[in-house]
Amino acid sequence: MRKFKNWAWLLFFGSLWGIMEVAGGGVLSNYNIPHISVILAAWAFIIMAVARGIVNKPGSSTVIGVFAALFKLANAAPFFCHLLGIFALGLTFDVFSSLLMKNERKISFRSSLVGALSAYSGYAFFAIVITYIVQYKYWIAGGLPKVLDHIFVGGSLAALAAVVLVPLGYWLGINSENILERRPVWTYAGTTMGIVLLWTLGRFVG
């Protein structure tokens, strides 16, 4: 039962991340909002931090990122670069939270450090892979200046947001777990309904 509960949580949080990518990303793009990736990354960080407060296990954030990418793939036009960006954030957050927040049950400077390191590493991972390994023409055309701008401008903005949002999200997750454990049946039912609702909504807004 506990394994099922954990997987349900991961799918729920991945779907929450995914709905923002599908609905929020589309709205932001239509209005030509600058640094869209930073806004989406900020949402991703608080989602992953809340989830880490509830399911603090190595690999959990990567799974959430995979679910978010699958949600976007199923409900929006398939842009490989977007899916790679989602995966990169999930993977790097997983690495640093597993190293610095393992078995952590209180808020400390390490959660802010996880946010900053994950932002810079995620942005660097994405920019290097999409430019020099995938060799996506849009990024090749921009060359090294585009890569550096993405890492040090976009990454810095995302890091500033993550320094605040990761501790906040982790605190919410820890305190929510204590409340949710008191009513496990209602928690499972609510999580399942939330997943169904998000995936249904995704079909309409995608």
Side-chain angles (χ1 to χ4, degrees), residues 17 65 69 72 79-91 122-131 133-136 139:
W17 181 354
K72 182 156 189 173
F79 290 103
F80 174 77
C81 57
H82 295 175
L83 304 182
L84 177 61
I86 293 170
F87 176 76
L89 285 184
L91 177 64
Y123 271 62
F125 179 93
F126 169 80
I128 291 169
V129 170
I130 200 71
T131 306
I133 297 178
V134 177
Q135 296 186 343
Y136 186 53
W139 282 81

Side-chain angles (χ1 to χ4, degrees), residues 31-53:
Y31 284 95
N32 295 315
I33 304 297
H35 299 294
I36 294 175
S37 73
V38 174
I39 298 171
L40 296 177
W43 176 258
F45 282 127
I46 196 165
I47 290 297
M48 288 189 289
V50 172
R52 203 74 185 196

Side-chain angles (χ1 to χ4, degrees), residues 11-206:
L11 179 55
F12 174 72
F13 285 114
S15 302
L16 270 180
W17 181 354
I19 196 71
M20 180 62 172
E21 288 282 339
V22 172
V27 171
L28 294 171
S29 180
N30 289 338
Y31 284 95
N32 295 315
I33 304 297
H35 299 294
I36 294 175
S37 73
V38 174
I39 298 171
L40 296 177
W43 176 258
F45 282 127
I46 196 165
I47 290 297
M48 288 189 289
V50 172
R52 203 74 185 196
I54 297 173
V55 185
N56 194 350
K57 294 183 179 296
S60 59
S61 303
T62 301
V63 172
I64 289 172
V66 170
F67 282 144
L70 289 174
F71 188 99
K72 182 156 189 173
L73 182 62
N75 295 294
F79 290 103
F80 174 77
C81 57
H82 295 175
L83 304 182
L84 177 61
I86 293 170
F87 176 76
L89 285 184
L91 177 64
T92 54
F93 186 87
D94 203 338
V95 170
F96 290 112
S97 57
S98 296
L99 290 172
L100 299 175
M101 293 165 58
K102 185 178 181 180
N103 300 321
E104 187 77 29
R105 301 305 298 170
K106 61 182 181 179
I107 309 304
S108 71
F109 76 95
R110 284 182 291 187
S111 53
S112 290
L113 183 59
V114 166
L117 291 173
S118 300
Y120 280 116
S121 298
Y123 271 62
F125 179 93
F126 169 80
I128 291 169
V129 170
I130 200 71
T131 306
Y132 301 111
I133 297 178
V134 177
Q135 296 186 343
Y136 186 53
K137 61 182 181 180
Y138 174 72
W139 282 81
I140 291 175
L144 183 60
K146 183 172 181 62
V147 170
L148 295 178
D149 179 78
H150 186 75
I151 296 171
F152 294 106
V153 176
S156 295
L157 292 172
L160 286 173
V163 163
V164 176
L165 295 176
V166 171
L168 174 61
Y170 194 57
W171 178 82
L172 288 172
I174 292 172
N175 287 278
S176 297
E177 184 189 26
N178 296 331
I179 297 171
L180 295 170
E181 286 292 338
R182 299 172 191 169
R183 294 178 173 82
V185 175
W186 286 104
T187 298
Y188 300 152
T191 304
T192 303
M193 288 299 297
I195 293 168
V196 172
L197 178 62
L198 287 167
W199 279 80
T200 303
L201 185 60
R203 301 306 298 169
F204 287 99
V205 300

